[in-house]
Amino acid sequence: MKILGIETSCDETAAAVVEDGTRILSNQIASQVEIHARYGGVVPEVASRQHILSIIPIIKEAMAKYTWEDLSGIAVTIGPGLAGSLLVGVNVAKAIALAWGLPITGVNHLEGHIYANWLDSHNIDFPVVCLIVSGGHSDLVLMRGHGDYVVLGRTRDDAAGEAFDKAARILDVGYPGGPAIERAAKGGTASIQLPRAWLKGSSDFSFSGVKAALLRLVEAGKVSSVADGAASFQEAVIDVLVTKTVAVAKERRVRCILLAGGVAANGLLRKRLVERSPLPVLVPKSILCTDNAAMIATCGYYRLKAGKTSGLDLDVFPSLKLA
Ligand code: KG4
Ligand code: ZN
């Protein structure tokens, strides 16, 4: 079963063909990072206009070796994300589905991030705990089966990726913030004491405190080395993410931990989680952690197999939740 995945929820225009939910046949991503860099963040109106320019060429590239008759269905991100951006992908997906009589399924972007793990591994035994860390979310999710989620914890303020992006602005290390902090941290040590919000008794996260503490120290001239600032910030955020994820996984007696979302591309997070977890940890390749359409196609494969098709009245849901 070959599924065409389409992803336009934020600032990446992406299309991919995935076979049987695991094998990537093509995976095209047009990043808008350089366009938004001059504003220091994603400008929604600019993003949706750029999606319009990129979507057809990107789908053509993804489909270069395949015909529409080769496909068994189309999977498209319907939310959460920017309304104007999501609309571009959803409307193109519906047009293809209508023209070729293909089934279409709307995919939750966060569910897509989780399914990036199926692109590398075929046999994942449930239940699992997933840590989804992206620009907009830090969710701890119990997954009991395909499409069966219980959200155990979420961020109460800034998402992990958002915190990285803001810290990068405070330390002036570049855009996008996550990779910039990781690069800057390589030359430093985590020698600056920054607070950790443990929120005892809860699986929720909070990262606004550590960000504010970093800002205060920088303003007071107490961060003499940007590299040490970046390393200390990165260590503080990762310490909380890893400690809470391992605790929840043990408490719920799951089979393994899945890491997902753009922040999962962070080398130290990947390393620390593997080091500190007594359970197996699955982490997708870095390129499959950040936004892509292969993960959407994989999730779509499992949805279509379960009979979860959508009609041509499929709409976008900018604030879509996982469960
Ligand atoms: O999943 P994603 O690509 O888009 C959303 O769904 O939000 O995640 C983007 C977020 C950004 O905040 C970015 O700074 C962060 O992921 N990110 C990283 C790294 N690569 C991307 N954060 C830390 N370290 C990285 N290497
Ligand atoms: Zn994402």
Side-chain angles (χ1 to χ4, degrees):
M1 239 175 115
K2 293 187 184 70
I3 307 292
L4 171 67
I6 296 174
E7 155 66 41
T8 63
S9 68
C10 190
D11 60 342
E12 258 94 33
T13 317
V17 179
V18 174
E19 189 164 42
D20 297 336
T22 55
R23 208 163 31 259
I24 299 176
L25 301 180
S26 64
N27 189 21
Q28 297 294 330
I29 305 170
S31 173
Q32 303 178 8
V33 159
E34 281 175 22
I35 295 166
H36 299 287
R38 80 187 76 143
Y39 308 108
V42 177
V43 182
E45 186 64 17
V46 174
S48 46
R49 284 166 190 269
Q50 193 58 37
H51 283 305
I52 291 171
L53 296 176
S54 305
I55 189 76
I56 302 289
I58 280 291
I59 290 176
K60 277 189 176 160
E61 280 176 43
M63 288 292 294
K65 293 188 186 154
Y66 308 98
T67 65
W68 300 110
E69 285 88 354
D70 291 333
L71 296 179
S72 299
I74 299 184
V76 62
T77 305
I78 53 168
L82 303 169
S85 293
L86 290 162
L87 274 169
V88 177
V90 167
N91 281 302
V92 170
K94 288 201 284 192
I96 297 170
L98 177 66
W100 295 98
L102 288 164
I104 184 169
T105 188
V107 171
N108 181 315
H109 181 79
L110 299 172
E111 201 177 349
H113 273 304
I114 294 173
Y115 272 87
N117 284 283
W118 270 264
L119 289 166
D120 288 332
S121 323
H122 308 208
N123 302 315
I124 297 176
D125 289 332
F126 295 110
V128 299
V129 153
C130 313
L131 173 66
I132 313 170
V133 270
S134 68
H137 294 82
S138 308
D139 291 348
L140 259 176
V141 179
L142 174 68
M143 187 176 181
R144 299 180 293 199
H146 287 293
D148 179 359
Y149 310 98
V150 182
V151 178
L152 304 172
R154 49 168 54 106
T155 185
R156 292 189 184 174
D157 38 57
D158 293 352
E162 187 182 357
F164 268 94
D165 295 337
K166 288 176 177 171
R169 236 172 283 158
I170 292 168
L171 293 170
D172 198 18
V173 289
Y175 175 89
I181 289 280
E182 184 172 17
R183 266 194 313 277
K186 289 223 159 72
T189 54
S191 52
I192 301 165
Q193 283 299 319
L194 290 171
R196 276 98 164 129
W198 295 113
L199 309 177
K200 286 251 159 19
S202 159
S203 296
D204 284 349
F205 297 105
S206 165
F207 296 113
S208 65
V210 62
K211 171 203 67 188
L214 179 69
L215 178 62
R216 273 198 303 276
L217 289 174
V218 168
E219 282 175 348
K222 290 186 177 154
V223 177
S224 53
S225 150
V226 167
D228 288 355
S232 305
F233 178 83
Q234 181 173 246
E235 192 71 51
V237 170
I238 288 173
D239 188 15
V240 176
L241 289 173
V242 170
T243 304
K244 293 202 134 196
T245 303
V246 170
V248 160
K250 281 189 195 161
E251 186 188 310
R252 297 280 168 163
R253 298 169 178 275
V254 295
R255 310 291 284 269
C256 74
I257 295 173
L258 309 186
L259 193 55
V263 183
N266 183 284
L268 188 70
L269 172 59
R270 300 157 80 93
K271 181 167 163 268
R272 284 274 191 280
L273 190 57
V274 171
E275 276 169 4
R276 287 178 48 189
S277 169
L279 299 164
V281 176
L282 292 182
V283 190
K285 288 191 194 95
S286 289
I287 185 69
L288 300 175
C289 289
T290 44
D291 288 351
N292 66 87
M295 67 186 197
I296 304 302
T298 297
C299 183
Y301 166 81
Y302 285 97
R303 288 181 59 82
L304 289 169
K305 262 206 349 181
K308 294 177 181 169
T309 53
S310 313
L312 288 175
D313 57 350
L314 184 64
D315 205 351
V316 302
F317 299 90
S319 305
L320 190 62
K321 298 267 183 297
L322 197 55

